[in-house]
Amino acid sequence: MFAGANAKLGKSGPRKLLALDGGGIRGLITIEILARIESIVREQAGKPSLVLADYFDYIAGTSTGAVIGTLLALGKPVDEIRRIYLDCGRMMFDKNTIMGRLEKLSSEVPHGASVFRAVDIATDYAKRLVDKEAYAKYPDKPLADKLKELVGSDTTLGADALRTLLLLVLCNVTTDSPWPLSNNPRARYNDPARSNSNAKFPLWQVVRASTAAPTYFPPQEIKVGGDTFVFVDGGVTSYNNPSFQLFLQATLEPYGVMWPVGEKNMLLVSVGTGLHPNAQQGLRSDDMHAAAAISTATEALFNAAMYQQDQLCRVFGRCQCGDPLDREISDLIGAKGPADPERLFTYVRYNATLTREGLDGLGLAGIDPRDVESLDSVEHMDELRKVGAAVAERKVKREHFAGFGV
């Protein structure tokens, strides 16, 4: 167990960390940025077949970032991950519509069944919908089956197949708490001797739980020792952008990794799936009915948590790249802070703003922001790829990786 993780723990030289945001099919933006990073580090290493698992030591991901991060940690090249998303995107976001449910119900009623028998079958079917998928926009099975195929149904979180340290963010609804799970062999709850060892969790279930976005996919149950916990998407925690949490997992004593800090000792690369601020010009107080207030508050908390993770990295790390955070503090590149003169790590943040102004700034005047802002914009995967490629071309620079060789 933990062969890949132990190899990363035992290596020397600067440490490289990679954090991947959640964002559904907008993970295609992340993939195009990662393709550029992979190309740069291959060129620097003089190894055309190098994969990002060879370069990065610790990878973290939430939701779609958990899918991409796990595939990277398993040693897959970015081209292959892109093919998976393009081939399977529509299948994973297969509409769980009322019409589809009615068709399924009709198939369960035997030909010639009495009215009473049909009512019994319909009642039982309705109960099953309420129990699991009634509130979900998409069914659970296509995504779960694909993850089993990609990851392996018997592969565990502590498996040797993982070539890097891996951190995946989940939300435990049963305990009402965020669960950042890793394959770190020094973590307290990863001891294989424990009956409830996290290292024994099926990896596909952990990834599936991290992608269980409320109202999009049903929750995921995972058995922990003698208990069964219910998990939803890690994006509903403060770690949809897991960048600063990844830094803490790599350096805080209780986690057991304790890698040395310093601008030359650690590189943290954070990759987003696009921001889409919900500006509401002309909004009046009368417009804020209960449903609107809940929606606005939820999105505001979500965006604030992502903002803070990014801001903390820019304050305690030496930021080399990142869009302005706001008009007051801008991008913090070159700004003095409490960690000066030597920051704790070198930091880059690659992301796009999916507004008219943001897309125009990327030279993408032909893309409608409404086509690329949703988590399930599978009809616009080509446009999402163009956004990612534009970010990669304009923002990902070779000098960001200088001094952090393989």
Short mmCIF file of all heavy atoms in Angstrom, two decimals, residues 152-203:
data_model
loop_
_atom_site.label_atom_id
_atom_site.label_comp_id
_atom_site.label_asym_id
_atom_site.label_seq_id
_atom_site.Cartn_x
_atom_site.Cartn_y
_atom_site.Cartn_z
N GLY A 152 -11.02 1.55 -11.53
CA GLY A 152 -10.98 0.17 -11.08
C GLY A 152 -11.91 -0.02 -9.89
O GLY A 152 -11.80 0.73 -8.91
N SER A 153 -12.81 -0.99 -9.98
CA SER A 153 -13.80 -1.15 -8.92
C SER A 153 -13.17 -1.60 -7.61
O SER A 153 -13.74 -1.40 -6.54
CB SER A 153 -14.87 -2.15 -9.36
OG SER A 153 -14.29 -3.40 -9.70
N ASP A 154 -11.98 -2.23 -7.68
CA ASP A 154 -11.32 -2.73 -6.47
C ASP A 154 -10.17 -1.84 -6.00
O ASP A 154 -9.54 -2.12 -4.98
CB ASP A 154 -10.79 -4.15 -6.71
CG ASP A 154 -11.90 -5.15 -7.01
OD1 ASP A 154 -12.99 -5.00 -6.43
OD2 ASP A 154 -11.66 -6.06 -7.83
N THR A 155 -9.89 -0.77 -6.73
CA THR A 155 -8.79 0.13 -6.35
C THR A 155 -9.20 0.94 -5.13
O THR A 155 -10.29 1.51 -5.08
CB THR A 155 -8.45 1.08 -7.50
OG1 THR A 155 -8.14 0.31 -8.67
CG2 THR A 155 -7.26 1.96 -7.15
N THR A 156 -8.33 1.00 -4.14
CA THR A 156 -8.62 1.73 -2.91
C THR A 156 -7.89 3.07 -2.88
O THR A 156 -6.98 3.32 -3.69
CB THR A 156 -8.23 0.92 -1.68
OG1 THR A 156 -6.81 0.72 -1.69
CG2 THR A 156 -8.94 -0.43 -1.66
N LEU A 157 -8.25 3.90 -1.93
CA LEU A 157 -7.59 5.19 -1.76
C LEU A 157 -6.11 5.03 -1.45
O LEU A 157 -5.30 5.90 -1.79
CB LEU A 157 -8.29 5.99 -0.66
CG LEU A 157 -7.78 7.41 -0.37
CD1 LEU A 157 -7.89 8.29 -1.61
CD2 LEU A 157 -8.54 8.04 0.79
N GLY A 158 -5.74 3.92 -0.82
CA GLY A 158 -4.33 3.69 -0.48
C GLY A 158 -3.59 2.84 -1.50
O GLY A 158 -2.50 2.36 -1.22
N ALA A 159 -4.15 2.67 -2.69
CA ALA A 159 -3.58 1.75 -3.68
C ALA A 159 -2.22 2.21 -4.19
O ALA A 159 -1.94 3.40 -4.32
CB ALA A 159 -4.54 1.59 -4.85
N ASP A 160 -1.39 1.23 -4.52
CA ASP A 160 -0.08 1.50 -5.10
C ASP A 160 -0.19 2.15 -6.48
O ASP A 160 0.76 2.78 -6.95
CB ASP A 160 0.73 0.21 -5.23
CG ASP A 160 1.15 -0.36 -3.88
OD1 ASP A 160 1.07 0.38 -2.88
OD2 ASP A 160 1.54 -1.54 -3.82
N ALA A 161 -1.33 1.99 -7.14
CA ALA A 161 -1.50 2.53 -8.48
C ALA A 161 -1.43 4.06 -8.50
O ALA A 161 -1.12 4.65 -9.54
CB ALA A 161 -2.84 2.08 -9.06
N LEU A 162 -1.72 4.70 -7.38
CA LEU A 162 -1.62 6.16 -7.31
C LEU A 162 -0.15 6.56 -7.21
O LEU A 162 0.54 6.20 -6.27
CB LEU A 162 -2.40 6.69 -6.11
CG LEU A 162 -3.93 6.57 -6.22
CD1 LEU A 162 -4.59 6.85 -4.88
CD2 LEU A 162 -4.47 7.53 -7.28
N ARG A 163 0.30 7.33 -8.17
CA ARG A 163 1.72 7.65 -8.28
C ARG A 163 2.11 8.93 -7.57
O ARG A 163 3.30 9.29 -7.53
CB ARG A 163 2.10 7.72 -9.77
CG ARG A 163 2.01 6.36 -10.44
CD ARG A 163 2.08 6.44 -11.96
NE ARG A 163 3.27 7.14 -12.44
CZ ARG A 163 3.56 7.28 -13.73
NH1 ARG A 163 2.75 6.77 -14.65
NH2 ARG A 163 4.64 7.93 -14.10
N THR A 164 1.13 9.64 -7.03
CA THR A 164 1.41 10.85 -6.27
C THR A 164 0.60 10.82 -4.97
O THR A 164 -0.29 9.99 -4.80
CB THR A 164 0.98 12.12 -7.04
OG1 THR A 164 -0.45 12.18 -7.08
CG2 THR A 164 1.52 12.13 -8.45
N LEU A 165 0.90 11.74 -4.07
CA LEU A 165 -0.02 12.02 -2.98
C LEU A 165 -1.27 12.65 -3.58
O LEU A 165 -1.18 13.46 -4.52
CB LEU A 165 0.62 12.95 -1.96
CG LEU A 165 1.68 12.31 -1.06
CD1 LEU A 165 2.58 13.36 -0.46
CD2 LEU A 165 1.02 11.49 0.03
N LEU A 166 -2.44 12.29 -3.05
CA LEU A 166 -3.71 12.73 -3.63
C LEU A 166 -4.65 13.16 -2.51
O LEU A 166 -4.85 12.41 -1.55
CB LEU A 166 -4.34 11.60 -4.45
CG LEU A 166 -5.70 11.89 -5.09
CD1 LEU A 166 -5.59 12.97 -6.17
CD2 LEU A 166 -6.28 10.61 -5.70
N LEU A 167 -5.23 14.33 -2.65
CA LEU A 167 -6.19 14.87 -1.69
C LEU A 167 -7.50 15.13 -2.41
O LEU A 167 -7.54 15.87 -3.40
CB LEU A 167 -5.65 16.17 -1.08
CG LEU A 167 -6.61 16.97 -0.19
CD1 LEU A 167 -6.93 16.20 1.09
CD2 LEU A 167 -6.00 18.33 0.15
N LEU A 168 -8.59 14.53 -1.92
CA LEU A 168 -9.91 14.70 -2.52
C LEU A 168 -10.85 15.26 -1.45
O LEU A 168 -10.86 14.78 -0.32
CB LEU A 168 -10.44 13.37 -3.05
CG LEU A 168 -9.53 12.65 -4.05
CD1 LEU A 168 -10.12 11.30 -4.43
CD2 LEU A 168 -9.30 13.50 -5.29
N VAL A 169 -11.64 16.26 -1.83
CA VAL A 169 -12.50 16.93 -0.86
C VAL A 169 -13.94 16.45 -1.01
O VAL A 169 -14.51 16.49 -2.10
CB VAL A 169 -12.45 18.46 -1.03
CG1 VAL A 169 -13.32 19.14 0.02
CG2 VAL A 169 -11.01 18.96 -0.92
N LEU A 170 -14.54 16.01 0.11
CA LEU A 170 -15.91 15.55 0.18
C LEU A 170 -16.63 16.35 1.27
O LEU A 170 -15.98 16.94 2.13
CB LEU A 170 -16.00 14.06 0.53
CG LEU A 170 -15.49 13.00 -0.45
CD1 LEU A 170 -13.98 13.06 -0.63
CD2 LEU A 170 -15.89 11.61 0.03
N CYS A 171 -17.96 16.30 1.26
CA CYS A 171 -18.75 16.84 2.35
C CYS A 171 -19.55 15.71 2.96
O CYS A 171 -20.37 15.08 2.29
CB CYS A 171 -19.69 17.94 1.84
SG CYS A 171 -20.76 18.62 3.14
N ASN A 172 -19.30 15.41 4.24
CA ASN A 172 -20.01 14.36 4.96
C ASN A 172 -21.30 14.96 5.52
O ASN A 172 -21.27 15.73 6.49
CB ASN A 172 -19.14 13.80 6.08
CG ASN A 172 -19.74 12.58 6.74
OD1 ASN A 172 -20.95 12.42 6.80
ND2 ASN A 172 -18.88 11.70 7.24
N VAL A 173 -22.43 14.62 4.89
CA VAL A 173 -23.71 15.17 5.33
C VAL A 173 -24.11 14.56 6.67
O VAL A 173 -24.74 15.22 7.50
CB VAL A 173 -24.80 14.91 4.27
CG1 VAL A 173 -26.12 15.53 4.70
CG2 VAL A 173 -24.37 15.48 2.93
N THR A 174 -23.74 13.30 6.89
CA THR A 174 -24.10 12.62 8.13
C THR A 174 -23.53 13.34 9.35
O THR A 174 -24.19 13.51 10.37
CB THR A 174 -23.61 11.17 8.12
OG1 THR A 174 -24.12 10.51 6.95
CG2 THR A 174 -24.07 10.41 9.36
N THR A 175 -22.28 13.78 9.25
CA THR A 175 -21.63 14.46 10.36
C THR A 175 -21.60 15.97 10.20
O THR A 175 -21.08 16.68 11.07
CB THR A 175 -20.18 13.96 10.52
OG1 THR A 175 -19.43 14.29 9.33
CG2 THR A 175 -20.15 12.46 10.75
N ASP A 176 -22.12 16.46 9.06
CA ASP A 176 -22.14 17.90 8.76
C ASP A 176 -20.75 18.50 8.85
O ASP A 176 -20.50 19.46 9.57
CB ASP A 176 -23.09 18.63 9.72
CG ASP A 176 -23.34 20.08 9.30
OD1 ASP A 176 -23.20 20.36 8.10
OD2 ASP A 176 -23.67 20.91 10.16
N SER A 177 -19.81 17.91 8.08
CA SER A 177 -18.43 18.37 8.14
C SER A 177 -17.71 18.09 6.82
O SER A 177 -18.03 17.14 6.11
CB SER A 177 -17.68 17.65 9.27
OG SER A 177 -17.72 16.25 9.08
N PRO A 178 -16.75 18.96 6.46
CA PRO A 178 -15.92 18.68 5.29
C PRO A 178 -14.98 17.52 5.58
O PRO A 178 -14.49 17.38 6.71
CB PRO A 178 -15.14 19.99 5.09
CG PRO A 178 -15.10 20.62 6.44
CD PRO A 178 -16.37 20.22 7.13
N TRP A 179 -14.76 16.68 4.59
CA TRP A 179 -13.83 15.56 4.72
C TRP A 179 -12.78 15.66 3.61
O TRP A 179 -13.01 15.18 2.50
CB TRP A 179 -14.57 14.22 4.62
CG TRP A 179 -15.08 13.71 5.94
CD1 TRP A 179 -15.56 14.43 6.97
CD2 TRP A 179 -15.15 12.34 6.34
NE1 TRP A 179 -15.94 13.62 8.00
CE2 TRP A 179 -15.71 12.32 7.64
CE3 TRP A 179 -14.83 11.13 5.75
CZ2 TRP A 179 -15.92 11.14 8.35
CZ3 TRP A 179 -15.05 9.95 6.44
CH2 TRP A 179 -15.59 9.95 7.73
N PRO A 180 -11.63 16.26 3.89
CA PRO A 180 -10.53 16.20 2.93
C PRO A 180 -9.80 14.85 3.12
O PRO A 180 -9.11 14.65 4.12
CB PRO A 180 -9.64 17.38 3.31
CG PRO A 180 -10.38 18.13 4.39
CD PRO A 180 -11.31 17.14 5.01
N LEU A 181 -9.99 13.92 2.20
CA LEU A 181 -9.40 12.59 2.31
C LEU A 181 -8.16 12.50 1.44
O LEU A 181 -8.17 12.94 0.29
CB LEU A 181 -10.41 11.51 1.87
CG LEU A 181 -11.68 11.37 2.71
CD1 LEU A 181 -12.55 10.27 2.13
CD2 LEU A 181 -11.34 11.07 4.16
N SER A 182 -7.11 11.89 1.96
CA SER A 182 -5.87 11.74 1.20
C SER A 182 -5.35 10.31 1.29
O SER A 182 -5.82 9.52 2.11
CB SER A 182 -4.80 12.71 1.72
OG SER A 182 -4.23 12.20 2.92
N ASN A 183 -4.39 10.03 0.44
CA ASN A 183 -3.69 8.73 0.51
C ASN A 183 -2.35 8.88 1.23
O ASN A 183 -1.44 8.06 1.06
CB ASN A 183 -3.46 8.16 -0.89
CG ASN A 183 -2.51 9.02 -1.73
OD1 ASN A 183 -2.39 10.23 -1.51
ND2 ASN A 183 -1.84 8.40 -2.70
N ASN A 184 -2.22 9.93 2.03
CA ASN A 184 -1.01 10.15 2.81
C ASN A 184 -0.84 9.02 3.83
O ASN A 184 -1.65 8.88 4.75
CB ASN A 184 -1.12 11.51 3.51
CG ASN A 184 -0.03 11.75 4.53
OD1 ASN A 184 1.01 11.08 4.55
ND2 ASN A 184 -0.27 12.71 5.42
N PRO A 185 0.19 8.20 3.72
CA PRO A 185 0.34 7.06 4.64
C PRO A 185 0.60 7.47 6.08
O PRO A 185 0.45 6.65 7.00
CB PRO A 185 1.53 6.29 4.06
CG PRO A 185 2.28 7.28 3.24
CD PRO A 185 1.25 8.22 2.70
N ARG A 186 0.97 8.74 6.30
CA ARG A 186 1.23 9.21 7.66
C ARG A 186 -0.01 9.81 8.32
O ARG A 186 0.05 10.20 9.49
CB ARG A 186 2.35 10.25 7.64
CG ARG A 186 3.67 9.71 7.08
CD ARG A 186 4.70 10.81 6.94
NE ARG A 186 5.93 10.34 6.31
CZ ARG A 186 6.92 11.12 5.90
NH1 ARG A 186 6.83 12.44 6.07
NH2 ARG A 186 8.00 10.61 5.33
N ALA A 187 -1.12 9.90 7.58
CA ALA A 187 -2.34 10.48 8.13
C ALA A 187 -2.93 9.55 9.19
O ALA A 187 -2.87 8.32 9.07
CB ALA A 187 -3.35 10.71 7.02
N ARG A 188 -3.49 10.13 10.23
CA ARG A 188 -3.95 9.38 11.40
C ARG A 188 -4.96 8.29 11.03
O ARG A 188 -4.89 7.17 11.54
CB ARG A 188 -4.59 10.34 12.40
CG ARG A 188 -5.17 9.66 13.63
CD ARG A 188 -5.77 10.68 14.59
NE ARG A 188 -4.75 11.62 15.06
CZ ARG A 188 -5.00 12.63 15.91
NH1 ARG A 188 -6.25 12.82 16.34
NH2 ARG A 188 -4.05 13.43 16.29
N TYR A 189 -5.88 8.59 10.13
CA TYR A 189 -6.95 7.65 9.84
C TYR A 189 -6.66 6.78 8.61
O TYR A 189 -7.56 6.12 8.10
CB TYR A 189 -8.28 8.39 9.68
CG TYR A 189 -8.75 8.98 10.98
CD1 TYR A 189 -8.56 10.33 11.26
CD2 TYR A 189 -9.36 8.18 11.95
CE1 TYR A 189 -8.97 10.87 12.47
CE2 TYR A 189 -9.78 8.72 13.15
CZ TYR A 189 -9.59 10.06 13.41
OH TYR A 189 -9.99 10.59 14.62
N ASN A 190 -5.40 6.79 8.14
CA ASN A 190 -5.03 5.94 7.01
C ASN A 190 -4.29 4.68 7.43
O ASN A 190 -3.83 3.92 6.58
CB ASN A 190 -4.16 6.72 6.02
CG ASN A 190 -5.00 7.61 5.12
OD1 ASN A 190 -6.21 7.55 5.13
ND2 ASN A 190 -4.33 8.44 4.33
N ASP A 191 -4.17 4.43 8.72
CA ASP A 191 -3.50 3.23 9.21
C ASP A 191 -4.27 2.00 8.74
O ASP A 191 -5.44 1.81 9.11
CB ASP A 191 -3.43 3.26 10.73
CG ASP A 191 -2.68 2.07 11.32
OD1 ASP A 191 -2.31 1.14 10.57
OD2 ASP A 191 -2.46 2.06 12.55
N PRO A 192 -3.67 1.12 7.92
CA PRO A 192 -4.39 -0.05 7.41
C PRO A 192 -4.87 -0.99 8.52
O PRO A 192 -5.77 -1.80 8.29
CB PRO A 192 -3.35 -0.74 6.52
CG PRO A 192 -2.37 0.32 6.17
CD PRO A 192 -2.31 1.23 7.36
N ALA A 193 -4.28 -0.88 9.71
CA ALA A 193 -4.69 -1.75 10.81
C ALA A 193 -6.04 -1.34 11.39
O ALA A 193 -6.68 -2.13 12.09
CB ALA A 193 -3.63 -1.73 11.91
N ARG A 194 -6.49 -0.13 11.10
CA ARG A 194 -7.78 0.33 11.60
C ARG A 194 -8.91 -0.33 10.81
O ARG A 194 -8.85 -0.43 9.58
CB ARG A 194 -7.91 1.85 11.47
CG ARG A 194 -6.92 2.67 12.28
CD ARG A 194 -7.13 4.15 11.99
NE ARG A 194 -8.44 4.58 12.45
CZ ARG A 194 -8.66 5.25 13.57
NH1 ARG A 194 -7.63 5.57 14.36
NH2 ARG A 194 -9.86 5.62 13.92
N SER A 195 -9.97 -0.72 11.50
CA SER A 195 -11.11 -1.31 10.80
C SER A 195 -11.81 -0.28 9.93
O SER A 195 -12.45 -0.63 8.93
CB SER A 195 -12.11 -1.89 11.81
OG SER A 195 -12.62 -0.86 12.66
N ASN A 196 -11.70 0.99 10.31
CA ASN A 196 -12.33 2.07 9.54
C ASN A 196 -11.29 2.92 8.81
O ASN A 196 -11.47 4.12 8.62
CB ASN A 196 -13.18 2.95 10.44
CG ASN A 196 -12.38 3.61 11.56
OD1 ASN A 196 -11.23 3.24 11.81
ND2 ASN A 196 -12.97 4.60 12.23
N SER A 197 -10.19 2.30 8.39
CA SER A 197 -9.12 3.04 7.72
C SER A 197 -9.62 3.68 6.42
O SER A 197 -10.22 3.01 5.57
CB SER A 197 -7.96 2.09 7.39
OG SER A 197 -7.00 2.73 6.57
N ASN A 198 -9.34 4.97 6.28
CA ASN A 198 -9.71 5.66 5.04
C ASN A 198 -9.00 5.06 3.84
O ASN A 198 -9.53 5.11 2.72
CB ASN A 198 -9.34 7.14 5.13
CG ASN A 198 -10.15 7.89 6.17
OD1 ASN A 198 -11.15 7.39 6.66
ND2 ASN A 198 -9.70 9.09 6.51
N ALA A 199 -7.83 4.51 4.05
CA ALA A 199 -7.06 3.95 2.95
C ALA A 199 -7.76 2.78 2.27
O ALA A 199 -7.45 2.44 1.13
CB ALA A 199 -5.68 3.49 3.45
N LYS A 200 -8.73 2.17 2.96
CA LYS A 200 -9.45 1.02 2.41
C LYS A 200 -10.69 1.43 1.61
O LYS A 200 -11.33 0.58 1.00
CB LYS A 200 -9.88 0.09 3.55
CG LYS A 200 -8.71 -0.51 4.32
CD LYS A 200 -9.20 -1.36 5.48
CE LYS A 200 -8.04 -1.92 6.30
NZ LYS A 200 -8.52 -2.70 7.48
N PHE A 201 -11.03 2.71 1.60
CA PHE A 201 -12.21 3.15 0.86
C PHE A 201 -12.02 2.85 -0.63
O PHE A 201 -10.94 3.12 -1.19
CB PHE A 201 -12.43 4.65 1.01
CG PHE A 201 -12.85 5.10 2.38
CD1 PHE A 201 -12.97 6.45 2.65
CD2 PHE A 201 -13.14 4.21 3.38
CE1 PHE A 201 -13.37 6.90 3.90
CE2 PHE A 201 -13.53 4.64 4.65
CZ PHE A 201 -13.65 5.99 4.90
N PRO A 202 -13.04 2.36 -1.32
CA PRO A 202 -12.95 2.24 -2.78
C PRO A 202 -12.73 3.62 -3.39
O PRO A 202 -13.49 4.56 -3.14
CB PRO A 202 -14.32 1.67 -3.17
CG PRO A 202 -14.82 0.97 -1.93
CD PRO A 202 -14.31 1.81 -0.79
N LEU A 203 -11.69 3.75 -4.19
CA LEU A 203 -11.32 5.06 -4.74
C LEU A 203 -12.45 5.63 -5.60
O LEU A 203 -12.72 6.83 -5.55
CB LEU A 203 -10.03 4.94 -5.55
CG LEU A 203 -9.49 6.23 -6.18
CD1 LEU A 203 -9.23 7.30 -5.13
CD2 LEU A 203 -8.21 5.94 -6.97
#
